[in-house]
Amino acid sequence: METSKSQSSLDQKEKPGPASITIPASPSMQKLGYGTGVNVYLMKRSPRGLSRSPWAVKKINSKCSKNQQNIYQSRLNEEAKILKSLKHPNIVGYRAFTEANDGSMCLVMEFGGEKSLNDLIEERNAARLGPFPAATISKVALSMARGLKYLHNDKKLLHGDIKSPNVVVKGDFEAIKICDVGVSLPLDENLTVSDPTVHYIGTEPWKPKEALSDDGVITDKADIFSFGLTLWEMMTLSVPHLNLGSSTDDEDESFDEDDFDEEAYYAALGTRPALNMDELDSSYQQVIELFSICTSEDPKKRPSAAHVVAVLEASLPPELRA
C-alpha cells in the first residue's frame, strides 16, 4: 500500500514489543502458512507448566532479497499498526510487534486456528467430499460479514484482499476470523476509497470489476464481491475462474498450466462464475442467492456487510448465529 500517510507512519517505525517476548527461531516453530514474502508460524507458550493460548507469528521470508525484505518489512509494520487498532471476535487479534533474534520485525497475532478456509477447501476437494454443507457456508458467511461490517462501518477500512486463504478456522468451524489486513485502504464517510494516493491491491481471481482498471471507483462493495466469491469457493472447492473449460468428469481436476486458457481467464475476471447446480440441493437456496447478489458486476447492486448480517441473523437458526 503506497500512501503518503502510510509512508509517514513507516518513517516513524513502531517500537518493538515487550522485551519479555522472545520469538523462537523459525525452524523451531510449526509453519502454518505463507503469503507474499512472509511465512506464518505457530508459537506455543506454556512456560513453567502453565497453559497459555498459542500465538501466530508473521515473519519475513529470509530467502527474499534484501530489497524485497525491506519492502515486506514496511508492509508488515503498516499491518501491525492497522491490526493494533482493531478488536472484533471475527478478526484475528493483535498481540505484539517485536524484534526477533535475527533483527527482523515479527507481527505476533492471536492464533485463530491451524488451518485457513483455503486449506479446508483443498482438503475437502482432495477427498472428493463435494460442497461444504449449506449450514457451514452460512455460518462462515455470517462470521465474515460481521467482521466486514466492523471494518467498514466502525473503522472505515476496506480489507482489500478477502479470499479463503485470509480466513482462519478453529476446530470444526467453532470460530471463523478474517486475517491479513496488510493491504487495507481507508474509507471516507461514504464508504468510498477517495484518497488519490492509495490503490487497491487485492488478489486477481477475487477482484471485482471496478478494481481491474485504474479509473474504477472503489467502495466497501469491493470487499462484498470478494466475499461472494469466497462463498462460491465453498460450493465449488475451486479458485475463481481458474478451472474455465475443464470437464467435471475428469478423474484429475487439478490445475494444468498447459490447458490454461489465459484469454478466457482474463475475460472472466470481475464476473460471476457459474455453479454446478447438480451438486446443490434446495438447502443451498439462501447461500446461492447471497452469492449471486454479492457478485453483481454493478457495485451499487451488491448489499452492504451490515445488510448481509441483518438478513442472516434474521433467517439462521440460533446455533448458526452464535
Side-chain angles (χ1 to χ4, degrees):
M1 182 169 66
E2 298 176 0
T3 78
S4 55
K5 295 179 182 177
S6 297
Q7 189 59 51
S8 174
S9 63
L10 296 177
D11 292 340
Q12 299 174 354
K13 192 173 184 179
E14 184 171 319
K15 294 180 181 179
S20 60
I21 297 179
T22 302
I23 305 298
S26 299
S28 67
M29 294 189 288
Q30 176 188 341
K31 189 174 181 179
L32 295 175
Y34 62 90
T36 305
V38 297
N39 293 323
V40 181
Y41 300 92
L42 176 65
M43 177 179 166
K44 296 181 179 179
R45 305 184 308 135
S46 296
R48 300 186 182 90
L50 298 176
S51 177
R52 294 183 178 177
S53 59
W55 285 342
V57 178
K58 182 178 284 192
K59 196 172 185 293
I60 303 304
N61 189 332
S62 59
K63 294 182 180 179
C64 295
S65 68
K66 187 65 176 179
N67 184 54
Q68 287 177 319
Q69 287 189 31
N70 290 337
I71 293 172
Y72 297 139
Q73 283 289 0
S74 295
R75 289 182 181 176
L76 193 62
N77 185 69
E78 189 65 22
E79 181 178 1
K81 289 179 179 294
I82 294 171
L83 193 62
K84 191 175 183 178
S85 70
L86 307 178
K87 188 174 182 180
H88 188 274
N90 295 118
I91 296 176
V92 166
Y94 172 92
R95 294 295 180 265
F97 190 55
T98 192
E99 189 171 336
N101 291 334
D102 62 6
S104 63
M105 298 302 295
C106 298
L107 175 56
V108 185
M109 304 168 288
E110 170 192 11
F111 175 61
E114 289 192 4
K115 295 179 180 179
S116 71
L117 180 58
N118 179 253
D119 294 331
L120 297 175
I121 289 171
E122 290 184 346
E123 289 177 4
R124 194 172 182 87
N125 186 38
R128 297 186 178 277
L129 295 176
F132 283 87
T136 301
I137 301 175
S138 294
K139 185 172 185 177
V140 170
L142 179 55
S143 296
M144 290 181 66
R146 284 170 171 166
L148 289 175
K149 176 185 175 182
Y150 169 75
L151 287 176
H152 297 167
N153 294 16
D154 296 357
K155 306 304 292 186
K156 295 296 185 290
L157 279 174
L158 181 81
H159 181 279
D161 198 16
I162 292 295
K163 57 185 179 179
S164 62
N166 286 341
V167 179
V168 290
V169 178
K170 180 180 179 182
D172 186 20
F173 292 92
E174 298 157 24
I176 299 105
K177 297 175 184 279
I178 296 170
C179 63
D180 203 346
V181 295
V183 294
S184 298
L185 297 174
L187 295 169
D188 63 21
E189 290 302 313
N190 296 316
L191 300 185
T192 299
V193 177
S194 57
D195 186 339
T197 65
V198 305
H199 66 275
Y200 183 97
I201 296 177
T203 303
E204 199 168 67
W206 290 268
K207 281 186 175 183
K209 184 74 72 175
E210 64 269 21
L212 296 172
S213 62
D214 293 334
D215 57 355
V217 177
I218 306 297
T219 69
D220 60 315
K221 303 300 181 62
D223 276 347
I224 298 301
F225 183 88
S226 304
F227 161 80
L229 288 187
T230 305
L231 306 186
W232 181 89
E233 290 182 79
M234 296 187 73
M235 288 186 279
T236 64
L237 310 182
S238 303
V239 175
H241 312 305
L242 283 189
N243 292 331
L244 292 171
S246 63
S247 171
T248 55
D249 296 328
D250 289 346
E251 284 298 316
D252 182 8
E253 295 180 9
S254 59
F255 177 71
D256 187 342
E257 187 174 350
D258 292 334
D259 293 335
F260 179 56
D261 187 337
E262 186 173 5
E263 184 176 347
Y265 165 72
Y266 281 109
L269 288 179
T271 68
R272 180 189 300 125
L275 286 169
N276 182 359
M277 300 305 293
D278 292 337
E279 294 185 333
L280 305 171
D281 59 31
S282 60
S283 68
Y284 290 88
Q285 180 178 348
Q286 184 180 44
V287 172
I288 293 171
E289 291 175 354
L290 181 58
F291 150 71
S292 296
I293 193 170
C294 288
T295 52
S296 297
E297 289 187 38
D298 182 353
K300 294 179 181 179
K301 294 182 179 180
R302 301 172 205 154
S304 66
H307 187 190
V308 174
V309 170
V311 169
L312 292 177
E313 287 185 341
S315 61
L316 296 180
E319 62 270 20
L320 296 181
R321 299 199 304 265

